[in-house]
Amino acid sequence: MANELLDLPLWMTEKPVINKTKKFIQFKGQIKQCIYPNMLASYAEEILNKIESSKIHKVVYGFDMEWPVTYNRKSNKTALIQICIDHSTCYLFHVCALELSFFTCYLLSYNVYHIIKLPSIFVYLINHPRVRWSGVCIKNDFLKLGRDFNVDVSGALSNIIDLATYTNKVLDFDSSTTWSMANLVQRLLKKDVNKDGNVRISSWDNTTLDQNQHMYAATDAFISLILYEHLKKFDKEDELQIN
């Protein structure tokens, strides 16, 4: 973040007031959790129907992904994909789940990872030409998704709104200024993001996510959406030209 404070207006550089109780952003809508491939396909179709019925030429959705954290060089498979379509609905798509089969539990108690083959309709949704995906550094997420499941994500890559780049453009900051999601929320929305370390590095490949995991995952995708909505107010050009 060495360049973050260069040439920023005073309101962007003021030190935040530290309150005893932080005001965390929290998603308050409906969270739809999808565990099995048929559910992924069904909910993908549900979203596609909303796109097709929308009068807006291109819709913007908040996007994020989670996977189990390891402390070696090996990267685990993408476990959860979060898509927030508006302030009232966020989808959590489980695409890599941890299972315990009776046979393996009885013999060796080994964990078995079940990698779901992404339904074609879900891949179509990811690459849909009328969807813009909003988030911080999500280009790398889509590239990982493509590698993990051997699917084409070129359509998604051409429709990304990187919030760090968009912030610099819209607010006329130096293009080298870097941002994290937490920084953007603090600077632009004057709130905080609850990045509880215990939740952040928790077992995202477990389909029985607890309430804290549900809220963490949905809120990240929701923040990706509302940051875009906030920045759009300052965009003097057609926001759909932003890549």
Side-chain angles (χ1 to χ4, degrees), residues 27-30 84-89 222 225-226 229:
F27 179 66
K28 297 181 179 179
Q30 181 184 14
C84 186
I85 64 170
D86 52 36
H87 290 225
S88 62
T89 310
F222 174 60
L225 175 62
I226 62 174
E229 292 174 343

Side-chain angles (χ1 to χ4, degrees), residues 172-188:
D172 199 25
F173 297 155
D174 189 284
S175 60
S176 63
T177 305
T178 57
W179 300 93
S180 66
M181 176 182 286
N183 292 142
L184 286 173
V185 169
Q186 289 174 345
R187 302 289 187 179
L188 301 180

Side-chain angles (χ1 to χ4, degrees), residues 217-230:
T219 297
D220 268 8
F222 174 60
I223 289 173
S224 293
L225 175 62
I226 62 174
L227 280 172
Y228 165 76
E229 292 174 343
H230 177 83

Side-chain angles (χ1 to χ4, degrees), residues 80-111:
L80 191 70
I81 298 173
Q82 304 105 275
I83 296 176
C84 186
I85 64 170
D86 52 36
H87 290 225
S88 62
T89 310
C90 186
Y91 295 83
L92 304 184
F93 293 96
H94 288 269
V95 292
C96 177
L98 176 64
E99 293 183 339
L100 292 174
S101 70
F102 175 79
F103 181 74
T104 53
C105 287
Y106 179 77
L107 291 179
L108 298 172
S109 297
Y110 283 163
N111 293 335

